[in-house]
Amino acid sequence: MKAIDILRDEHRSLAAVLHGMRHLVREIDAGRMAPDFRLFDAMLYYIDAFPERFHHPREDEYLFRRVLARAPAAAPIVAHLEDEHREGALRIRALAQSLERYRAGGAREFAAFRDAVDDYAGFHWKHMRAEEDELLPLARAHLTQDDWRAVDAGFAGAPDPLHGAGVAEYDALFRRIVTLAPPPIGVGPPAG
């Protein structure tokens, strides 16, 4: 069941970026730092490229299909998670648009950006909890060893079908975010 560890590690990486983005927004809101659009761009790219183009398609193809085949009663949960995958793609576009409005419009657009960050982060955290708390127990209960071998193989570095990127590219992007972000969320220069 290596796929479960991979899925959880990917969730933790995404949660760290979302937490970091929310932290930066709170610091800007409190007047303790200026916006760093280069960092926001890297974070936004990560939360767009990684879950929407790499993580979710693997869940859909390798894990959800197998769970449905072995536990047809899981259909409502799987359908809900797949709907959230589609909704997440729309929400990331709204977040990107609010970032662009903030970049172009300055302080008067900050509140909308802050709200979009909170909305996206809350949505995605709830989604990840549903996968871990509802779907994974069903997978553990119903998938066979052969199923797990297939799921593990699908999760083990399967390339991004849209861009040919593997996990290493997203790991490098995550490291870049950590390098750019100020403490306490990264190792970049202190906020000022």
Side-chain angles (χ1 to χ4, degrees), residues 11 27 63 107 148-149 175 183:
H11 282 178
E27 293 295 298
L63 183 60
W148 280 115
R149 278 192 281 280
R175 283 191 303 278

Side-chain angles (χ1 to χ4, degrees), residues 151-162:
V151 172
D152 288 348
F155 268 76
D160 174 355
L162 297 178

Side-chain angles (χ1 to χ4, degrees), residues 175-190:
R175 283 191 303 278
R176 179 171 181 256
I177 291 167
V178 170
T179 301
L180 289 171
I185 58 170
V187 297

Side-chain angles (χ1 to χ4, degrees), residues 41-58:
D41 287 340
M43 291 172 141
L44 187 66
Y45 182 77
Y46 183 88
I47 62 176
D48 177 24
F50 186 72
E52 303 305 332
R53 298 179 184 171
F54 185 72
H55 177 79
H56 292 161
R58 289 186 314 160

Side-chain angles (χ1 to χ4, degrees), residues 64-76 78 135 138-139 141-143:
F64 293 2
R65 295 298 140 246
R66 297 257 176 190
V67 169
L68 281 175
R70 299 288 181 195
V78 170
L135 186 77
L138 290 170
H142 295 285
L143 296 187

